[in-house]
Amino acid sequence: MALGLILMPFLYPLVDIDTPEEAGQKARVYNPSNDPPLRFKGTVKEFIERDFITQRPAITIEGFEGLAGNIRVSIGNETISEGQEVIVEGKFYGFLGIGYVMGNYNEDTEKIDPATVERVPTTNFILALVLFLVGLVLTIWGYTRI
């Protein structure tokens, strides 16, 4: 029960994650070769089925902005709709907040990997919640048996 209770804030995530505004500030001074990937939680503002430049689906996050407006996040074939809360993790490729968040980009082959996008609550959070509830039930059951 205690393990589930400890893990839930980290897996929801409530701890150790940036806001879209903080991630936007980091994107303005980001260096993909030296800086760790951006990781932030935000609400999907717009879903683009096929982005003009990357030729793959993309989303924009409310508050995640560079100098020229919202920064797009290149995604895979996830079914994401507007208004959903998501966690985004990926590298920023661009200049002064004008660019894209992607997984990896190979300049030689021009292969773009999508950024990691996961809905909130995450599946790991649900597993921690189940662990907590099972622990709670076992605690109550053990207490009534004594």
Side-chain angles (χ1 to χ4, degrees):
M1 182 172 82
L3 181 63
L5 191 59
I6 291 169
L7 288 176
M8 282 191 295
F10 291 97
L11 298 176
Y12 184 72
L14 297 173
V15 178
D16 192 32
I17 193 149
D18 291 333
T19 66
E21 291 80 12
E22 292 169 341
Q25 292 294 327
K26 287 181 180 180
R28 292 181 187 156
V29 294
Y30 192 78
N31 181 356
S33 60
N34 296 333
D35 294 341
L38 296 174
R39 185 170 190 265
F40 61 96
K41 179 174 75 168
T43 304
V44 176
K45 181 177 181 180
E46 179 184 13
F47 177 79
I48 300 116
E49 286 196 35
R50 190 169 189 89
D51 185 66
F52 179 72
I53 295 174
T54 62
Q55 296 299 310
R56 64 179 324 128
I59 58 173
T60 59
I61 305 293
E62 290 179 12
F64 183 51
E65 298 177 353
L67 290 178
N70 283 0
I71 300 171
R72 292 187 176 178
V73 177
S74 180
I75 62 172
N77 293 326
E78 293 95 348
T79 54
I80 296 174
S81 59
E82 295 174 7
Q84 285 184 329
E85 195 171 28
V86 294
I87 300 169
V88 175
E89 186 171 355
K91 294 182 177 181
F92 175 76
Y93 292 93
F95 180 71
L96 294 175
I98 301 168
Y100 289 83
V101 174
M102 302 180 230
N104 285 320
Y105 174 67
N106 187 335
E107 292 180 10
D108 297 331
T109 62
E110 294 185 2
K111 183 175 188 258
I112 299 169
D113 292 332
T116 304
V117 178
E118 191 174 6
R119 290 186 208 159
V120 174
T122 64
T123 54
N124 289 337
F125 170 78
I126 294 171
L127 291 175
L129 179 63
V130 168
L131 180 67
F132 170 73
L133 293 175
V134 166
L136 182 64
V137 167
L138 289 175
T139 302
I140 293 171
W141 181 70
Y143 181 73
T144 58
R145 300 284 267 161
I146 294 179

